[in-house]
Amino acid sequence: MPEAEDVRRVALSLPDTSEKIAWSMPTFRVAGKMFATLPEDETSIAVRCPKEERDELVLAEPGKFWTADHEAQFAWVRVRLAALEDEGELRDILADSWRQAAPQRLLDAYPRLGLPGGS
């Protein structure tokens, strides 16, 4: 099961990513734009996710994904770290969120990052 330090290590391994404390919690940003947070007790992460996909994820795997009330209007989803299969799944989730926040110059430089079969 991935833990908070795994989240930090994997997130910071993504191109042009930095960590910043905001709302009293670690947040991870690509080129200054937030793509992940490590809320409260560090047992979950919040990541970018289009609302349509988020709703499907929550319905399909409610033990893994959920929407916090204060984030419902935004395109974010929470992920329980204990429910993740391994670090590979954590990396896929963080990389997908990274792609949603990254500027075009980084998407062009890392075209496969965060895509199925990409690195």
Side-chain angles (χ1 to χ4, degrees), residues 14-15 91-100 107 110-119:
L14 298 169
R91 176 171 286 283
D92 289 346
I93 289 169
L94 287 170
D96 183 62
S97 186
W98 180 92
R99 286 189 61 75
Q100 293 175 60
L107 296 176
Y110 301 93
R112 300 290 307 151
L113 186 65
L115 296 177
S119 49

Side-chain angles (χ1 to χ4, degrees), residues 22-85:
W23 307 288
S24 301
M25 71 179 125
T27 66
F28 300 93
R29 298 160 188 259
V30 55
K33 194 169 180 183
M34 192 165 46
F35 71 92
T37 67
L38 194 55
E40 296 94 31
D41 61 4
E42 299 186 340
T43 61
S44 68
I45 56 175
V47 293
R48 290 176 172 267
C49 183
K51 288 182 183 179
E52 308 77 35
E53 291 177 28
R54 176 190 70 193
D55 296 343
E56 290 177 25
L57 284 172
V58 170
L59 283 173
E61 296 185 78
K64 186 180 292 187
F65 300 101
W66 90 99
T67 305
D69 291 340
H70 67 279
E71 295 168 341
Q73 71 221 33
F74 303 107
W76 287 79
V77 68
R78 296 280 183 109
V79 185
R80 290 178 180 85
L81 294 177
L84 295 179
E85 292 176 26

